[in-house]
């Protein structure tokens, strides 16, 4: 099957070996002048060989050769044509076609979106920029671990989005400094302080507490919530205990104790009587200003990044008024007695809107709705102002004893939900990528935020991704500031470091309930120590003397296996982070990597070999980078868990001297062992166990290997030393107790061995009354013959004692 049928008479072999292209072209043209073409067939091998012989198309004067050349060129495949033409033009070989790898599907970041209750692919609206708003604290008391749960979790997410996924995050957070809780607490603190300044007599305090206790106990009787009722009962019990001494005899000191125990009751009682007379606006700003400062100090202590923008409600009242006005203009609000309410029914029935996007099943929950309105805004008169019980306040007419701002509807103050909408809208515009907050804020707060913001911007996408952090419990119990069942951040930091708290959070899912307990924190402390020891070991490996070329060591099967696992773990970490930022799985993968690395190190050392420096450095640097992604720490070449700059600088300075000391000590120990100088070995142990730990230095002796030197903070080493001493003392005590018990058993056995079987039963007159000549019992205490069963049982005991006594006699005889 060829385009040209060459005759066997034609010596095309001569043609293929002709170096003169012109001669070959003439011969080919002459041959083809008497041959015909078979159009449509593929070129043969001979056609290709002759075609490749020609460096260029024949000249027009060789008509047959030129026509053949064009005919062959059209029928060669594209790849062959390209290769042949390149060869003909350039006169050299060309690259073959490239075998492209198959594309792999890498995981992409997905976040659990409360708007859909599923993990959604994260797609920012504006390229790589991520706009994020987070509900901040209502500042009327100390920040607690519930705040830490939310703000540490969001700080972790924020850092991972910025530092791992490389998003450009713009983070905005608010401070709620106008709120029913703040107003009430500020009034109560002010009135109680005035009461204290009057220095009331003990009798007056007693009378006032008894007066305050009446309405308090009525409130207690009406309370149905079990947690709240339990809290009120605890308060009442404390007051009752403090009342005792005063009711018996009025004493000044007892009055002070009662005033302290009953301050919550008195505060409520004073506020009910005189709260409406508190009119100075500054009273309502001092409290939130103080607690905001404390909040920022706590966040700084927890190493939480500050927001890019922080907004305060008190600074945004004009913007809030404008926001409310536009909602009214858009037809989704109404004014009533100086207050403005959001019309949920009208909003929900509009074509492009829906009320209750986050928790539709909670719409109509009166308890949740009233909590959202605030304690000062749920009187019967105020509730009657609404067209529907589902409606909520955008602007509240101020009552006596409340701060106020000017508005078109009269003096008033913002509703709680409108505050976030107005401030977030002012900074982030009509739509944001992420809105974050605690799980308990979903309804009504966040659902109301969504409704009023979409009513203002006339869209249905004010928030693209709603993220809610899980609850925090304390040893399995619900935590609540209002229930006075909470642990402050300062209290938590007195027990554990900020890093340990963050580790505890990293070891749990950010969206699930976290139980703050001793077990949780022990796990975090153990994980920290586990990583810290690994980094110290790697530092020791890298400190081993080595020239430039010696750091690159040959890889054997063990290194290949560890490296393969290293890359598998890295891929698993990436997959976990893409899966809703699953830090729990990430930490487990990192733990597995460290465990395998420790096994590798131990295996090499047991074979008296050094671990591969570059491989261990790569693993340590990766772990360091991953930990730095989650928390801002000083940059240290290996081991982010080693303390910051002071220790880092000290290590660089003192380590050469410590190495000299360690080598000298090792030489001394070697000589002392060879010459059996026990006192010198003991002194070497004192240096290791007592002297150096006081300086923050740990020496680790390994048989047949150089001593390992580690710099660790002094407190850790002293704690380790005390724990070791405690364990040694316990071991010693157990050993002494066991020896004492053994001695007692041996003495008891010896005493028993001394007893002749003839005498063993004679002393038991409360059981037996008759014996035979060998001392064996025959009658019970009542004089009756012993039964066969009793006799058989006693006979076994008798024979065993006889054998024991014979051993004793034999031993004494041998001893004599």
């Amino acid at each position: 099957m060829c385009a040209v049928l060459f005759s066997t008479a034609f010596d095309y072999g001569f043609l293929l070996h002709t170096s003169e292209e012109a001669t070959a072209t003439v011969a080919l043209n002459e041959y083809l002048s008497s041959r015909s073409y078979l159009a449509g067939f593929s070129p043969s091998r001979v056609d290709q060989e002759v075609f490749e012989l020609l460096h260029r198309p024949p000249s027009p004067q060789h008509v047959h050769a030129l026509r053949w050349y064009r005919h062959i060129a059209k029928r060669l495949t594209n790849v062959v044509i390209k290769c042949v033409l390149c060869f003909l033009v350039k006169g050299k070989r060309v690259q073959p076609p490239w075998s492209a790898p198959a594309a792999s599907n890498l995981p992409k970041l997905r976040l659990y979106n409360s708007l859909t209750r599923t993990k959604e692919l994260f797609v920012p609206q504006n390229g790589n920029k991520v706009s994020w708003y987070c509900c901040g604290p209502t500042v009327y008391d100390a920040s607690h671990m519930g705040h830490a749960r939310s703000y540490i979790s969001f700080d972790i997410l924020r850092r991972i989005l910025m530092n791992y996924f490389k998003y450009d995050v713009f983070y905005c957070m608010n401070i709620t400094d106008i709120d029913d809780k703040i107003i009430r607490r500020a009034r109560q603190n002010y009135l109680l302080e005035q009461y204290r300044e009057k220095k009331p007599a003990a009798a007056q305090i007693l009378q006032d507490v008894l007066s305050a206790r009446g309405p308090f106990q009525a409130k207690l009787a009406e309370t149905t919530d079990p947690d709240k009722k339990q809290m009120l009962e605890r308060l009442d019990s404390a007051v009752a205990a403090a009342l005792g001494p005063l009711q018996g005899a009025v004493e000044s000191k007892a009055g002070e104790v009662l005033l302290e125990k009953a301050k919550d009751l008195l505060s409520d009682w004073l506020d009910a009587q005189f709260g409406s007379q508190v009119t100075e606006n500054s009273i309502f700003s001092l409290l939130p200003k103080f607690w905001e400062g404390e909040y920022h100090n706590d966040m700084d202590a927890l190493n939480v990044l500050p927001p890019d923008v922080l907004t305060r409600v008190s600074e945004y009242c004009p913007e809030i008024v404008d926001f409310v006005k536009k909602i009214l203009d858009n037809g989704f609000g109404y004014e009533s007695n100086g207050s403005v309410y959001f019309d949920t029914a009208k909003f929900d029935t509009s074509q492009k809107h829906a009320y209750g996007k986050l928790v539709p099943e909670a719409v109509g929950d009166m308890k949740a709705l009233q909590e959202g309105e605030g304690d000062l805004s749920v009187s019967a008169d105020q509730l009657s102002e609404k067209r529907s019980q589902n409606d909520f306040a955008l602007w509240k007419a101020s009552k006596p004893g409340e701060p106020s701002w000017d508005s078109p509807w009269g003096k008033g103050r913002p509703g709680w939900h409108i505050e976030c909408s107005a401030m977030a809208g002012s900074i982030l515009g009509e739509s944001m990528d992420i809105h974050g907050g605690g799980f308990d804020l979903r309804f009504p707060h966040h659902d109301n935020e969504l409704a009023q913001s979409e009513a203002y911007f006339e869209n249905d996408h004010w928030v693209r991704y709603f993220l809610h952090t899980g609850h925090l419990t304390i040893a399995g119990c619900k935590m609540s500031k209002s229930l006075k069942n909470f642990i402050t951040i300062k209290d938590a930091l007195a027990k554990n470091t900020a890093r340990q708290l963050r580790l505890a959070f990293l070891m749990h899912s950010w969206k699930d309930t976290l139980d703050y307990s001793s077990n949780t924190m022990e796990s975090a402390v153990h994980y920290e120590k586990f990583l810290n020891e690994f980094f110290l070991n790697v530092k020791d490996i890298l400190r081993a003397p080595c020239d430039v070329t010696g750091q690159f060591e040959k890889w054997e099967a063990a290194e290949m296996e560890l490296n393969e696992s290293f890359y598998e773990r890295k891929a698993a970490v990436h997959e976990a982070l893409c899966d809703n930022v699953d830090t729990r799985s990430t930490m487990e993968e990192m733990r597995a990597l460290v465990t395998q690395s420790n096994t590798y190190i131990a295996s090499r050392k047991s074979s008296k070999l050094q671990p591969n420096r570059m491989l261990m450095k790569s693993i340590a640097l990766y772990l360091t980078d991953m930990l730095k992604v989650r928390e801002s720490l000083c940059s240290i070449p290996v081991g982010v868990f080693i303390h910051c700059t002071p220790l880092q600088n000290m290590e660089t300075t003192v380590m050469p001297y410590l190495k000299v000391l360690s080598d000298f000590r090792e030489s001394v120990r070697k000589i002392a062992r060879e010459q059996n100088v026990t006192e010198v070995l003991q002194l070497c142990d004192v240096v290791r166990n007592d002297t150096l730990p006081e300086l923050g230095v740990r020496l680790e002796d390994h048989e047949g290997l150089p001593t390992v030197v580690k710099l660790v903070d002094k407190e850790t080493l002293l704690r380790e030393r005390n724990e070791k001493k405690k364990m040694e003392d316990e071991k010693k005590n157990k050993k002494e107790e066991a020896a004492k018990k053994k001695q007692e058993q041996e003495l008891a056995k010896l005493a028993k061995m001394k007893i002749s079987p003839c005498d063993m039963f004679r002393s038991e007159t409360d059981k037996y009354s008759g014996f035979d000549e060998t001392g064996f019992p025959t009658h019970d205490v009542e004089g009756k013959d012993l039964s066969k069963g009793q006799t058989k049982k006693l006979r076994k005991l008798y024979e065993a004692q006889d054998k024991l006594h014979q051993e004793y006699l034999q031993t004494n005889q041998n001893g004599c």
Side-chain angles (χ1 to χ4, degrees):
M1 302 287 288
C2 58
V4 178
L5 297 179
F6 286 110
S7 167
T8 54
F10 180 74
D11 187 9
Y12 64 86
F14 168 79
L15 177 63
L16 292 173
H17 290 90
T18 301
S19 59
E20 291 288 338
E21 184 175 348
T23 304
T25 303
V26 171
L28 177 63
N29 188 68
E30 181 181 351
Y31 172 72
L32 293 172
S33 63
S34 59
R35 265 69 176 174
S36 61
Y37 293 86
L38 300 177
F41 287 90
S42 299
S44 68
R45 181 181 60 80
V46 177
D47 288 320
Q48 259 185 262
E49 289 176 351
V50 175
F51 183 86
E52 291 172 4
L53 180 66
L54 304 179
H55 292 177
R56 60 187 61 80
S59 61
Q61 69 187 60
H62 303 116
V63 177
H64 301 291
L66 179 61
R67 186 164 55 184
W68 169 87
Y69 184 91
R70 289 172 177 171
H71 183 80
I72 297 300
K74 287 181 181 180
R75 280 156 178 77
L76 287 175
T77 63
N78 290 337
V79 174
V80 174
I81 290 174
K82 188 182 294 183
C83 293
V84 172
L85 289 179
C86 286
F87 176 80
L88 293 177
V89 171
K90 298 180 181 179
K92 62 181 181 180
R93 294 182 64 85
V94 295
Q95 288 180 303
W98 173 57
S99 179
S104 56
N105 294 321
L106 293 175
K108 296 180 180 179
L109 175 61
R110 293 180 178 274
L111 296 176
Y112 184 87
N113 189 356
S114 296
L115 287 165
T116 62
R117 300 185 188 180
T118 190
K119 297 172 187 176
E120 302 287 359
L121 182 66
F122 182 60
V123 182
Q125 299 176 107
N126 186 18
N128 204 49
K129 181 181 178 183
V130 175
S131 55
W132 189 335
Y133 179 82
C134 182
C135 279
T138 301
V139 283
Y140 68 97
D141 206 337
S143 300
H144 52 71
M145 284 301 292
H147 293 124
R149 169 57 169 152
S150 185
Y151 300 122
I152 290 179
S153 296
F154 283 133
D155 188 64
I156 291 169
L157 292 176
R158 179 185 176 190
R159 289 179 188 272
I160 290 175
L161 259 64
M162 291 191 305
N163 302 330
Y164 186 83
F165 291 105
K166 305 303 180 183
Y167 286 111
D168 184 6
V169 177
F170 182 62
Y171 194 84
C172 176
M173 191 187 78
N174 78 293
I175 293 289
T176 298
D177 58 355
I178 301 173
D179 177 82
D180 288 40
K181 293 175 182 176
I182 293 173
I183 294 168
R184 182 188 287 274
R185 180 66 63 85
R187 283 194 323 222
Q188 290 176 342
N189 287 357
Y190 172 75
L191 292 169
L192 186 62
E193 188 59 32
Q194 281 194 325
Y195 184 86
R196 289 180 187 274
E197 288 176 359
K198 293 177 182 178
K199 299 184 184 302
Q204 184 64 51
I205 295 173
L206 175 59
Q207 182 181 340
D208 290 340
V209 169
L210 290 173
S211 299
R213 197 179 181 201
F216 179 83
Q217 289 184 321
K219 178 182 177 182
L220 173 58
E222 295 171 358
T223 301
T224 56
D225 183 280
D227 293 323
K228 190 170 184 179
K229 193 175 188 71
Q230 189 178 37
M231 181 268 292
L232 294 176
E233 286 172 346
R234 285 199 306 268
L235 288 176
D236 192 54
S237 297
V239 171
L243 277 170
L246 270 176
Q247 287 176 318
V250 177
E251 300 173 6
S252 176
K253 189 174 181 181
E256 293 173 8
V257 173
L258 177 60
L259 180 55
E260 180 61 29
K261 295 291 184 182
K263 62 182 180 181
D264 291 318
L265 279 70
L266 275 173
S267 296
D268 280 343
W269 181 67
L270 291 169
D271 188 52
Q273 293 184 86
F274 310 112
S276 61
Q277 299 174 19
V278 180
T279 56
E280 178 58 46
N281 264 14
S282 62
I283 293 171
F284 302 104
S285 62
L286 291 174
L287 178 77
K289 185 175 182 180
F290 171 80
W291 287 116
E292 182 191 336
E294 291 296 295
Y295 166 80
H296 290 309
N297 290 337
D298 288 338
M299 292 301 105
D300 187 54
L302 290 173
N303 200 28
V304 171
L305 287 174
D308 296 309
V309 178
L310 186 132
T311 61
R312 299 181 185 88
V313 178
S314 59
E315 298 171 347
Y316 275 79
C317 283
E319 288 85 353
I320 292 172
V321 169
D322 291 340
F323 206 93
V324 174
K325 286 167 64 177
K326 187 173 178 185
I327 291 175
L328 285 171
D329 293 342
N330 289 346
F332 293 110
Y334 57 91
E335 187 270 340
S336 179
N337 293 335
S339 295
V340 180
Y341 295 95
F342 188 82
D343 193 334
T344 55
K346 187 169 183 181
F347 179 81
D348 198 37
T349 55
S350 62
Q351 188 172 359
K352 65 177 181 179
H353 295 305
Y355 179 65
K357 284 185 171 183
L358 290 166
V359 196
E361 62 271 23
V363 174
D365 183 342
M366 287 301 104
K367 182 182 177 183
L369 289 167
Q370 289 187 17
E371 286 179 357
E373 290 295 80
D375 291 344
L376 303 178
S377 309
V378 289
S379 66
D381 291 341
Q382 288 169 306
L383 293 175
S384 67
E385 295 174 355
K386 300 180 181 182
R387 294 177 182 173
S388 165
Q389 294 301 306
N390 289 329
D391 295 349
F392 55 90
L394 300 173
W395 184 263
K396 301 177 180 180
S398 291
K399 302 188 297 293
E402 297 178 1
S404 62
W405 287 262
D406 292 329
S407 80
W409 317 285
K411 291 280 188 178
R413 56 190 178 88
W416 177 34
H417 314 299
I418 198 69
E419 298 169 348
C420 288
S421 292
M423 292 185 291
S426 297
I427 302 299
L428 302 179
E430 66 177 15
S431 183
M432 69 186 76
D433 294 304
I434 298 175
H435 191 320
F439 184 82
D440 55 336
L441 294 179
R442 294 179 310 152
F443 185 88
H445 185 52
H446 287 159
D447 265 325
N448 288 353
E449 274 188 48
L450 282 167
Q452 63 202 7
S453 299
E454 292 177 357
Y456 176 90
F457 289 111
E458 297 187 280
N459 65 22
D460 63 352
H461 53 267
W462 185 58
V463 175
R464 297 294 188 176
Y465 299 83
F466 235 124
L467 310 184
H468 289 101
T469 55
H471 285 301
L472 182 131
T473 56
I474 299 176
C477 300
K478 178 182 177 183
M479 198 204 74
S480 168
K481 185 185 288 186
S482 61
L483 298 178
K484 300 186 182 300
N485 171 37
F486 65 94
I487 295 175
T488 67
I489 290 173
K490 286 183 173 60
D491 290 340
L493 287 173
K495 296 178 181 178
N496 296 99
T497 66
R499 181 179 297 138
Q500 289 165 352
L501 289 173
R502 186 169 291 246
L503 277 173
F505 283 56
L506 285 165
M507 293 166 73
H508 293 78
S509 168
W510 61 267
K511 77 175 193 67
D512 296 331
T513 297
L514 168 65
D515 185 47
Y516 176 74
S517 64
S518 57
N519 288 339
T520 300
M521 295 315 304
E522 283 172 13
S523 297
V525 171
H526 182 268
Y527 195 100
E528 179 188 38
K529 184 178 180 180
F530 175 71
L531 287 177
N532 210 5
E533 285 301 313
F534 171 71
F535 288 128
L536 288 169
N537 289 332
V538 173
K539 279 176 172 286
D540 179 68
I541 292 168
L542 298 181
R543 276 197 298 267
C546 180
D547 58 24
V548 175
T549 58
Q551 63 183 319
F552 300 102
E553 301 147 299
K554 181 182 179 182
W555 283 33
E556 305 288 354
E559 285 77 25
M560 294 296 293
E561 181 183 351
L562 178 58
N563 189 61
E564 183 178 355
S565 177
F566 176 29
Y567 277 83
E568 288 174 355
R569 299 295 179 191
K570 285 201 289 187
V573 165
H574 179 70
E575 186 174 350
L577 290 177
C578 286
D579 184 17
N580 195 39
V581 192
D582 181 2
T583 58
R584 183 174 182 272
S585 296
T586 298
M587 299 298 278
E588 287 304 313
E589 291 295 341
M590 290 167 62
R591 186 200 299 273
L593 176 58
V594 172
T595 299
Q596 191 164 359
S597 299
N598 287 339
T599 302
Y600 165 76
I601 293 172
S603 173
R604 296 289 289 179
K605 287 190 174 182
S606 68
S607 303
K608 303 296 187 293
L609 298 170
Q610 274 289 95
N612 188 285
R613 297 166 61 93
M614 297 306 292
L615 178 55
M616 298 317 301
K617 183 177 180 180
S618 295
I619 293 173
L621 285 174
Y622 168 74
L623 292 170
T624 298
D625 289 341
M626 291 308 301
L627 292 165
K628 285 169 66 177
V629 160
R630 295 160 172 76
E631 59 176 323
S632 177
L633 294 166
C634 61
S635 177
I636 297 178
V638 176
V640 75
F641 272 64
I642 307 303
H643 292 274
C644 290
T645 307
L647 185 57
Q648 182 187 0
N649 292 340
M650 184 175 72
E651 181 172 347
T652 304
T653 304
V654 306
M655 192 54 73
Y657 300 97
L658 291 174
K659 189 72 174 77
V660 170
L661 172 63
S662 173
D663 292 344
F664 175 75
R665 174 179 169 273
E666 184 58 34
S667 299
V668 170
R669 291 177 73 230
K670 182 179 179 183
I671 295 171
R673 281 196 298 268
E674 291 172 351
Q675 300 185 13
N676 197 26
V677 186
T678 308
E679 293 82 357
V680 173
L681 290 172
Q682 290 174 345
L683 287 173
C684 289
D685 289 345
V686 169
V687 170
R688 180 193 62 198
N689 299 334
D690 299 327
T691 308
L692 290 179
E694 294 285 350
L695 302 174
V697 179
R698 181 198 290 160
L699 295 185
E700 295 178 357
D701 294 323
H702 298 280
E703 188 66 34
L705 293 171
T707 298
V708 176
V709 184
K710 295 179 180 178
L711 285 185
V712 186
D713 65 284
K714 177 181 174 181
E715 290 74 16
T716 299
L717 289 178
L718 295 182
R719 185 170 60 251
E720 288 178 355
R721 187 177 70 183
N722 293 337
E723 290 173 354
K724 183 179 179 182
K725 187 176 185 304
K726 183 180 177 182
M727 290 177 64
E728 288 175 349
D729 289 343
E730 289 176 353
K731 186 177 180 180
K732 181 181 177 182
N733 291 337
K734 287 182 179 179
K735 188 175 181 180
E736 289 176 352
E737 288 176 5
K740 183 180 178 181
K741 187 176 181 181
K742 183 179 180 182
Q743 185 181 17
E744 290 173 351
Q745 290 173 341
E746 289 176 350
L747 289 173
K749 182 180 179 182
L750 179 62
K752 187 177 180 181
M753 290 173 72
K754 290 179 179 180
I755 299 172
S756 169
C758 298
D759 300 325
M760 70 178 294
F761 294 116
R762 291 185 186 277
S763 61
E764 299 181 6
T765 54
D766 59 328
K767 296 181 182 179
Y768 314 108
S769 61
F771 304 89
D772 64 13
E773 64 278 4
T774 64
F776 189 83
T778 56
H779 296 79
D780 64 16
V781 69
E782 296 177 355
K784 296 178 182 178
D785 291 342
L786 296 178
S787 66
K788 289 184 178 180
Q790 286 177 304
T791 302
K792 184 177 181 181
K793 183 177 179 182
L794 292 174
R795 180 61 64 184
K796 287 183 179 180
L797 293 174
Y798 186 93
E799 291 173 354
Q801 182 63 27
D802 182 51
K803 182 179 180 182
L804 201 62
H805 186 63
Q806 291 301 322
E807 288 179 11
Y808 170 73
L809 295 174
Q810 186 68 31
T811 303
N812 280 351
Q813 185 178 357
N814 293 338
C816 293

